[in-house]
Amino acid sequence: MAALFVFTAPALAEPKLKPAPVAYAVSPIMDGQDLTGLRITATFKADADGETRLSLPHNWMGRKEIWRNLSNLTVEGADSIVEDTPKERIVRSKPGRRLVLRYTVRDTLGRDPGQSDGYPSEPWVRPSWFYVDGASALVVIDGREDGPGSFDWGKDWPKDFKLASNLEDAADWTGDLRHSVFMGGRDVKIIRSGPVRLAIRGTYAFAEADLARELEAILAAERGFFGDNQKRPFLVTAQSLKPENAAAFHGTGKEQAFAMVTTSNMTLEDMRVLLAHEIFHAWNPSRLGQAFGPRGYWFSEGFTDFYARRLLARTRLMTPAGFTAAWNETLKAYGTSPVIAMPNKEAAEKFWTEPGVDQLAYQRGSLLAAIWDARLRQAGSSLDQVLRDQAAGRDAKPEATMLAAFIDAARARGLNVADDIEAHVALGAPIRLPSAAFLPCARVEQATTPTFDRGFEPSVDDKGTMSVADLRETSAAYRAGLRNGMIIVERRKGRGGDASIPYELVVRTGDGPTQVVTFLPQGDGVETYQRLVLTPEAERDPGLCDFRQGPPRPSL
């Protein structure tokens, strides 16, 4: 079935003609019963000057030259096609002529996905299934990235393939067409729960129907926050990964959708905040202003993290104890981060390439959001109101960046954030939460604990088998009986970075019997950071962790 998606242009002083629509279709390339590629077709009219520019996928999630995964690009109706740059084509033709772009998308995976493969930032096209992000596969017509257009799954799909894309549901598409996702396969399951459509394949530690219900509840909470239509369709695509080292989750927000991958050992409890984070991207940044890349991730990712926790607690999808525990993971990671003082310009440049730098944006943004919300609540307002004002004013200033729009909305509520942004984001000065920032739910205190030291490095071979490597004889792991080369069958307890939780590993030597090794992963040093301690009142009354707008309180 075809689905129509239309971009509604903001009101301007002078009428502006909408661009001609683009019709996309995705079809299979089969070799017998095996899927070997995707054929994407885009039908459109040439630009009025006879020169129509095409933009191919280029850089995405740290990957470069993604256009290399496309081949056999042709344009029916063109007089000529010129390669302006490797990621751009100029199509010359008679003005207004009907043109048909065709090209092939090929696989970049070559195997079943494992934890180290992460998210499909480049196309995954396997013999019986595919998982493709629009940013890695769609060629767009310059000036028509936001539609209007239509979408169809095309012809020749095997009858036993189930297919899903958010373009199917996007009747009122308002974003870049590359904010799309495509999944299909013989073993893909489609599960519905209210407005949520879950397309899922693989093996999980929970029932797929339970995940769908969890997604529906989170979506309802976040749509309720912004006062949005609760019935609008929302797609989630999910693929499991073979675990290689503990548990992992990767996701990215799309237009009324989000796409995710997760290791098969991750529980719903493990991923609840992550699910809420990805769903909140339906509003941040697209509904709050123009995004501007990694330099703005402290806002688009950090504020999203802040509201993922807040709205879960407010709607009782998370207990007050779970709320403080989630915050404490962030506070400890930030307080002990080796890049805590890195200026934003450098952090943006290293976001995709240097370990640990990517988390700095999430941490800074969520801490600043907490501080600003506390100040606003003292004055009888809240950060909630600022964000709602910002969303409501989006159409009046469609070209404003999310940051400029936020600064204006905050100023209108009596909050000046410019100095904090300069000090803590631009220059990288470490952020300290005031002790009363989370009252009446929790108080902020200083913590000093032993450093985390696992004592060894996990090593994973080509078959996905994990073993002990680089074991230090001075470590608690060695004293407990762990030895280099032992196969790690299972980690029953323990969490990376947390020295307070004992590790419990099931291991074996060669093909020998298994044994259990338990140790406390503590080093010789200490580390200092902030943490939240739930108040006795909030333990009895979860409503104290709602942080709703109220009367002014004494100064922090």
Side-chain angles (χ1 to χ4, degrees):
M1 287 184 66
L4 181 69
F5 47 92
V6 181
F7 168 64
T8 304
L12 300 176
E14 295 180 5
K16 183 178 179 180
L17 294 177
K18 292 181 180 180
V22 181
Y24 281 95
V26 177
S27 303
I29 300 174
M30 306 294 295
D31 182 3
Q33 294 298 306
D34 291 344
L35 180 69
T36 60
L38 301 179
R39 180 178 292 108
I40 296 184
T41 302
T43 304
F44 56 97
K45 289 185 178 181
D47 283 351
D49 62 359
E51 284 196 356
T52 307
R53 289 183 171 269
L54 309 179
S55 290
L56 281 62
H58 183 39
N59 295 344
W60 168 242
M61 285 190 167
R63 309 281 185 168
K64 296 183 178 180
E65 300 182 343
I66 298 177
W67 47 265
R68 293 182 182 275
N69 302 321
L70 311 185
S71 60
N72 305 321
L73 191 150
T74 64
V75 181
E76 179 184 321
D79 295 330
S80 65
I81 305 174
V82 178
E83 182 178 304
D84 193 24
T85 68
K87 65 183 180 71
E88 296 175 308
R89 301 289 187 274
I90 300 175
V91 180
R92 295 192 173 99
S93 67
K94 181 179 178 181
R97 177 182 289 172
R98 180 180 181 272
L99 303 175
V100 182
L101 165 69
R102 297 184 179 90
Y103 60 94
T104 299
V105 177
R106 62 174 181 270
D107 176 56
T108 64
L109 186 60
R111 60 184 180 279
D112 288 337
Q115 182 174 343
S116 58
D117 293 308
Y119 179 81
S121 52
E122 296 186 81
W124 293 355
V125 184
R126 307 301 300 138
S128 64
W129 62 276
F130 66 93
Y131 196 8
V132 176
D133 191 299
S136 73
L138 282 192
V139 175
V140 295
I141 293 81
D142 285 12
R144 305 184 220 178
E145 298 90 341
D146 296 328
S150 62
F151 174 75
D152 191 271
W153 274 112
K155 300 178 180 179
D156 302 323
W157 282 103
K159 292 183 179 179
D160 56 352
F161 265 61
K162 292 184 175 63
L163 306 168
S165 172
N166 55 332
L167 291 183
E168 296 173 286
D169 294 326
D172 52 348
W173 193 273
T174 58
D176 193 313
L177 302 180
R178 291 166 290 197
H179 295 168
S180 52
V181 63
F182 308 87
M183 174 179 264
R186 291 190 171 92
D187 57 351
V188 170
K189 298 178 183 178
I190 306 294
I191 300 170
R192 295 183 180 272
S193 184
V196 171
R197 179 169 54 128
L198 172 63
I200 188 170
R201 72 172 302 274
T203 303
Y204 299 88
F206 47 80
E208 292 95 336
D210 290 342
L211 173 60
R213 285 190 289 270
E214 186 86 9
L215 291 165
E216 180 189 8
I218 295 171
L219 179 65
E222 297 187 357
R223 283 180 168 173
F225 176 79
F226 284 101
D228 279 11
N229 180 0
Q230 291 282 8
K231 295 183 179 180
R232 188 179 182 189
F234 192 93
L235 174 70
V236 177
T237 53
Q239 165 68 46
S240 68
L241 305 174
K242 183 179 180 181
E244 296 169 1
N245 180 14
F249 176 101
H250 304 277
T252 183
K254 296 295 175 182
E255 177 76 15
Q256 290 304 309
F258 86 82
M260 60 177 270
V261 296
T262 180
T263 49
S264 56
N265 57 349
M266 201 166 196
T267 68
L268 276 178
E269 183 69 25
D270 293 334
M271 66 173 65
R272 184 169 287 117
V273 174
L274 301 169
L275 297 174
H277 176 105
E278 295 304 337
I279 290 176
F280 200 81
H281 275 309
W283 295 272
N284 188 12
S286 62
R287 286 277 299 279
L288 301 177
Q290 295 285 346
F292 54 98
R295 290 183 299 112
Y297 283 174
W298 69 268
F299 184 91
S300 59
E301 299 297 344
F303 272 48
T304 297
D305 246 14
F306 175 85
Y307 272 101
R309 294 184 285 255
R310 165 162 289 190
L311 296 180
L312 286 174
R314 184 176 289 174
T315 54
R316 306 298 181 265
L317 296 173
M318 174 185 280
T319 65
F323 174 78
T324 56
W327 260 106
N328 284 338
E329 286 189 23
T330 294
L331 291 172
K332 182 176 181 180
Y334 176 72
T336 60
S337 171
V339 297
I340 190 173
M342 183 178 287
N344 191 52
K345 183 177 183 296
E346 182 182 357
E349 292 169 352
K350 296 179 177 179
F351 183 88
W352 295 109
T353 59
E354 188 167 313
V357 174
D358 58 336
Q359 293 304 305
L360 189 59
Y362 294 72
Q363 295 157 359
R364 279 178 176 162
S366 58
L367 265 68
L368 286 173
I371 290 171
W372 292 334
D373 178 64
R375 292 177 188 168
L376 286 161
R377 285 188 290 112
Q378 288 169 15
S381 185
S382 70
L383 190 65
D384 298 357
Q385 191 57 58
V386 171
L387 256 63
R388 292 182 182 121
D389 292 347
Q390 185 176 348
R394 179 76 167 92
D395 290 343
K397 296 182 178 180
E399 301 305 318
T401 66
M402 57 187 178
L403 180 53
F406 171 71
I407 291 172
D408 287 347
R411 185 184 298 116
R413 292 280 170 178
L415 178 67
N416 185 349
V417 298
D419 290 345
D420 285 341
I421 294 172
E422 176 66 17
H424 300 298
V425 179
L427 300 180
I431 302 166
R432 297 281 300 173
L433 291 175
S435 61
F438 283 84
L439 288 178
C441 174
R443 65 180 185 275
V444 180
E445 66 174 31
Q446 190 89 344
T448 300
T449 61
T451 55
F452 174 83
D453 182 9
R454 185 170 42 225
F456 69 95
E457 296 300 325
S459 176
V460 180
D461 64 18
D462 294 339
K463 297 180 180 179
T465 301
M466 185 184 301
S467 62
V468 177
D470 299 325
L471 178 67
R472 293 183 294 282
E473 294 185 3
T474 57
S475 67
Y478 184 88
R479 293 192 296 272
L482 208 62
R483 295 295 182 265
N484 275 321
M486 280 185 168
I487 305 300
I488 301 174
V489 178
E490 179 187 2
R491 187 180 75 180
R492 291 178 176 172
K493 295 181 182 178
R495 183 168 57 208
D498 193 334
S500 67
I501 300 178
Y503 260 56
E504 185 176 298
L505 302 177
V506 179
V507 300
R508 59 180 168 82
T509 300
D511 295 326
T514 60
Q515 63 182 97
V516 177
V517 176
T518 303
F519 60 94
L520 200 58
Q522 294 182 352
D524 296 329
V526 295
E527 51 195 12
T528 301
Y529 50 91
Q530 292 186 297
R531 68 183 177 192
L532 301 188
V533 177
L534 198 64
T535 64
E537 295 80 9
E539 290 181 2
R540 295 190 296 269
D541 181 6
L544 296 179
C545 296
D546 288 357
F547 300 103
R548 296 186 187 274
Q549 181 176 336
R553 296 188 293 107
S555 297
L556 296 177

